Amino acid sequence: MDEREILTRFKAGTLGRDDAARLLNGARQPRTETPFPPPRPESVPDPDHGVPDAHGASDAHGASDGHGAPDGRGMSDGHGASVGHGASVGHAASVGPGASVGHGASVGPGAFDGDRVLDSRAAAGRATSTDLIAVVGIAGRYPLAPDLHAHWDNLLTGRDTSSAVPATRPWLASSATGRRGHFLDAVADFDPEFHGITPTEAAQMDPQERLFLEVAWDALEDAGYTGSRLDTLTTASGASRALGVFVGAASHDYALLAAGAWTPGAGAIPAPGHWGLPGRLAASLELTGPAQAVDTAECSGLTAVHLAVGALRRGECAAAVAGGVELVLHPARLADGAGEGVGAVVLKPLHRALADGDRVHAVVRDTAGGHRTRPRRPEPRAAEEAHESRETTARRIGSAGAVTGIAALTDAVLQVRNGVRITGGPESAGVPWPRTRDEAGRELPRTATVEIAAESGGTAWAVIEEYTAEPGGTDTGGDGGPLLLSAPTPAHLAATARRLADWLTATADAPADADADADTNAGHPASGPAPAGLARALRVGRAALPCRIALPASRGVIELVARLRHFADTGEAGPEGATADLRDGRGDPLGLDGLPETRDYLIALWRAGRTETLTRLWLNGVGVDWAALEAASPWAAPSQPPPPSARLRRPLWLGADRAPEEPEPNG
């Protein structure tokens, strides 16, 4: 067996860890060089304290992938991948067609190194300085794009996302004449109830904090870590909910607006600091990982990713949310070409992501951040690549300050994942991105190097690689498991049910009956995501909120869509379904959550197949740890993650914290 087959069998569970390690070592014996050189002695992690590297990365300089000469800084010419620098705007991101390398890492054939997957320290929950990092969740909002699906469409079509200053920002009117920029929609809107925040408190929060809270939550839902799976994120020391939060932000416009409008006796104004960006999410989810805000100008978002990677490699957390946010709210900062956005990724060591069955969007091979000088990079090898290196993130979302780096990284992830390159120039569009091959004819994963050079002189970069390992199978979720949805209010629950029904319809492959008329088939898909797998993803990956509904997931997509729409329209669960509203605090009337015997009782019910009883207990407020109950069945994230929970946003601004009587769902 070759390495790929060994790793595929290991991932599928048909090959034990010891046997896989032995076979891998045997397969590699004849090699005269390895794609991943061992770290220098000083970079080997202390088993108890992780990696003390100041950058959280290995320092194996000068590594070569065998296809280009090393340059002495860990940079190889690979296959001509280029790095854009965008001198006129101070930041850029470009994608090369082949292997590109970064600080302390080299790229060899294949998507990952098996020794790292099977490393004994990794199995014990400890990461190493050379671990590859998986992107297991991703979300974002960018100009003319409320989600990443719309953002990707904008990239594919080369859509111009610039516009005049939105009329919904009257406080910018004095500086808006003749100005054009790249703006987000409805930045004053927020859904405080969803996050357990009062409207008055929400009006005092910086809109950047509110936006990041929403997008980070969406990224965690995409990864399946807002529910009981969050408790499975443990460090080697045994700390659970070990999720780190790292956010890049650089502006304080909301506090400046509040200070300008303040009068004696008006009360406190929003705090100018950024502590709330990571702190609020960490507090609301009772996280035990590090929480840190960072300001390195345009490099902020990418520096946050670098800090998250370092924390993961040192074993400070088991997973991390990293992102950035930028809003232009103060007239003094309004300039032509100004940009906005918010983005977040969820990161985990690749070996752990594979063991946990996570969906891997892409792999982070290496990162750097906080440098005052640009690291040496390979020169473009063709005129086309030289042209592409001038393509900047500013062309796509404007001069977007602290969010620039995470936006560029997001674009790179989308391109390597979809196998499409976004070409440069004013009429940028997507073109197929074929994989290159090594000297033996084996396909190499697509690789993108993202570099942000701030006007202030700082630099950050990351190397993103396609995840090319063969899938380990499709999770079906078993038979008879219920589909459970929950939300903070009945209106949120109805909106989420409608969104899920719309998504199931949109992802269908064909009409229900090719011989039936159009009216019969309208809105009723014949196929799509497996209902049982979808139900399991929602049970174990989503938070259990007060308003709940349970529906059978064994009757097929058509009936599930009909049940969801019926509930969204009427508030009734219908036959075989059930709802509960636990907002009055009277859930768990028997006090089972406080009994030490409850866990064993729930396990016994699960083993006996009493899913209906478990569902009734869940509806009554008992804390059913579905992830623990279903741990015996190998977990595999669905290939199509369900859509994020619906929000009921409304305008909340300085001094205006009253909601409309009937807020409408808007994402």
Side-chain angles (χ1 to χ4, degrees):
M1 291 186 289
D2 61 14
E3 294 175 14
R4 182 178 293 276
E5 184 177 357
I6 295 169
L7 292 170
T8 299
R9 292 190 180 187
F10 167 70
K11 182 182 175 186
T14 59
L15 189 65
R17 182 180 299 275
D18 293 340
D19 290 338
R22 176 178 54 78
L23 290 171
L24 279 171
N25 289 333
R28 291 177 177 182
Q29 293 261 337
R31 293 188 179 183
T32 58
E33 58 179 308
T34 61
F36 295 96
R40 298 189 311 182
E42 60 267 29
S43 67
V44 175
D46 185 311
D48 297 320
H49 300 288
V51 182
D53 187 331
H55 299 293
S58 170
D59 193 23
H61 295 293
S64 171
D65 66 351
H67 307 291
D71 68 2
R73 298 173 184 263
M75 304 293 289
S76 167
D77 65 357
H79 296 278
S82 62
V83 181
H85 53 83
S88 61
V89 295
H91 47 267
S94 67
V95 180
S100 168
V101 299
H103 176 76
S106 64
V107 178
F112 56 90
D113 184 280
D115 288 339
R116 292 185 187 133
V117 176
L118 303 175
D119 187 274
S120 61
R121 289 167 300 184
R126 295 184 176 93
T128 74
S129 65
T130 54
D131 267 336
L132 302 181
I133 303 298
V135 179
V136 299
I138 189 168
R141 288 177 61 185
Y142 296 101
L144 301 185
D147 55 41
L148 291 187
H149 295 290
H151 180 62
W152 180 239
D153 286 341
N154 290 344
L155 295 180
L156 288 176
T157 60
R159 183 182 185 184
D160 180 6
T161 63
S162 66
S163 66
V165 177
T168 53
R169 305 193 193 188
W171 61 90
L172 293 180
S174 61
S175 302
T177 304
R179 302 282 192 186
R180 290 185 67 82
H182 302 254
F183 302 102
L184 296 184
D185 294 330
V187 296
D189 292 1
F190 183 61
D191 183 349
E193 288 81 9
F194 185 90
H195 297 283
I197 301 170
T198 67
T200 300
E201 183 182 6
Q204 286 289 102
M205 291 170 59
D206 187 333
Q208 294 184 134
E209 181 179 333
R210 303 185 326 204
L211 279 172
F212 180 77
L213 183 62
E214 289 185 344
V215 169
W217 186 273
D218 289 348
L220 286 169
E221 284 196 338
D222 182 66
Y225 283 110
T226 59
S228 53
R229 287 187 81 219
L230 183 60
D231 291 321
T232 68
L233 297 177
T234 58
T235 61
S237 64
S240 64
R241 297 201 167 213
L243 180 73
V245 186
F246 301 86
V247 194
S251 61
H252 304 275
D253 289 7
Y254 200 60
L256 292 175
L257 288 173
W262 185 85
T263 58
I269 64 172
H274 295 311
W275 61 268
L277 283 160
R280 189 174 293 273
L281 179 66
S284 65
L285 292 177
E286 299 180 346
L287 305 179
T288 60
Q292 185 174 349
V294 57
D295 178 359
T296 53
E298 294 92 338
C299 300
S300 299
L302 204 53
T303 301
V305 172
H306 171 64
L307 294 174
V309 168
L312 290 169
R313 287 173 169 166
R314 290 189 295 272
E316 296 174 2
C317 50
V321 176
V325 60
E326 177 79 11
L327 290 179
V328 179
L329 303 179
H330 197 280
R333 290 207 312 122
L334 184 60
D336 283 332
E340 299 180 325
V342 55
V345 292
V346 181
L347 306 173
K348 287 180 68 177
L350 179 60
H351 73 266
R352 184 157 182 172
L354 297 180
D356 293 345
D358 295 312
R359 181 189 187 210
V360 179
H361 294 274
V363 172
V364 180
R365 293 200 65 89
D366 211 352
T367 62
H371 295 272
R372 290 294 301 171
T373 58
R374 177 182 289 115
R376 186 177 176 184
R377 61 182 179 84
E379 292 298 325
R381 293 176 56 184
E384 177 184 356
E385 291 164 11
H387 176 70
E388 185 175 52
S389 72
R390 294 192 293 271
E391 171 58 47
T392 68
T393 302
R395 185 182 297 282
R396 300 169 185 171
I397 65 167
S399 182
V403 79
T404 302
I406 195 67
L409 183 140
T410 295
D411 291 356
V413 169
L414 295 177
Q415 290 176 77
V416 300
R417 187 184 73 183
N418 294 309
V420 176
R421 295 175 65 190
I422 305 301
T423 58
E427 298 179 357
S428 60
V431 298
W433 184 357
R435 298 187 184 98
T436 57
R437 295 179 181 272
D438 64 11
E439 295 173 349
R442 293 178 297 181
E443 285 190 337
L444 297 172
R446 302 176 183 96
T447 304
T449 297
V450 177
E451 180 184 352
I452 305 298
E455 293 180 353
S456 60
T459 299
W461 53 263
V463 179
I464 307 301
E465 183 177 281
E466 176 190 16
Y467 176 65
T468 59
E470 297 176 9
T474 302
D475 177 57
T476 62
D479 296 327
L483 185 140
L484 308 178
L485 290 180
S486 68
T489 70
H492 285 87
L493 187 58
T496 297
R498 181 175 287 107
R499 167 176 281 193
L500 184 59
D502 291 344
W503 175 78
L504 284 167
T505 301
T507 54
D509 296 330
D513 184 351
D515 298 324
D517 58 34
D519 290 337
T520 301
N521 285 332
H524 294 286
S527 61
L534 171 65
R536 186 182 186 189
L538 292 169
R539 282 197 303 271
V540 307
R542 296 288 175 94
L545 301 175
C547 297
R548 306 179 178 187
I549 183 172
L551 297 172
S554 58
R555 305 297 179 82
V557 175
I558 296 175
E559 184 167 334
L560 180 57
V561 167
R563 288 175 179 272
L564 288 167
R565 293 202 188 282
H566 176 75
F567 172 73
D569 293 339
T570 67
E572 298 176 356
E576 300 182 75
T579 62
D581 188 341
L582 307 178
R583 290 178 297 168
D584 59 6
R586 290 183 291 181
D588 187 21
L590 300 179
L592 295 179
D593 271 345
L595 300 178
E597 298 84 1
T598 297
R599 180 178 179 275
D600 291 337
Y601 172 55
L602 297 177
I603 292 174
L605 289 174
W606 176 259
R607 290 176 175 171
R610 308 288 187 184
T611 55
E612 291 185 3
T613 302
L614 285 165
T615 300
R616 287 196 297 270
L617 290 170
W618 180 81
L619 288 168
N620 278 280
V622 176
V624 179
D625 187 346
W626 297 100
L629 294 179
E630 304 189 40
S633 301
W635 163 262
S639 58
Q640 295 176 299
S645 301
R647 305 303 205 295
L648 303 180
R649 299 189 182 96
R650 58 181 184 271
L652 291 170
W653 204 248
L654 295 167
D657 56 3
R658 293 187 178 275
E661 292 184 1
E662 296 183 359
E664 294 294 330
N666 52 14

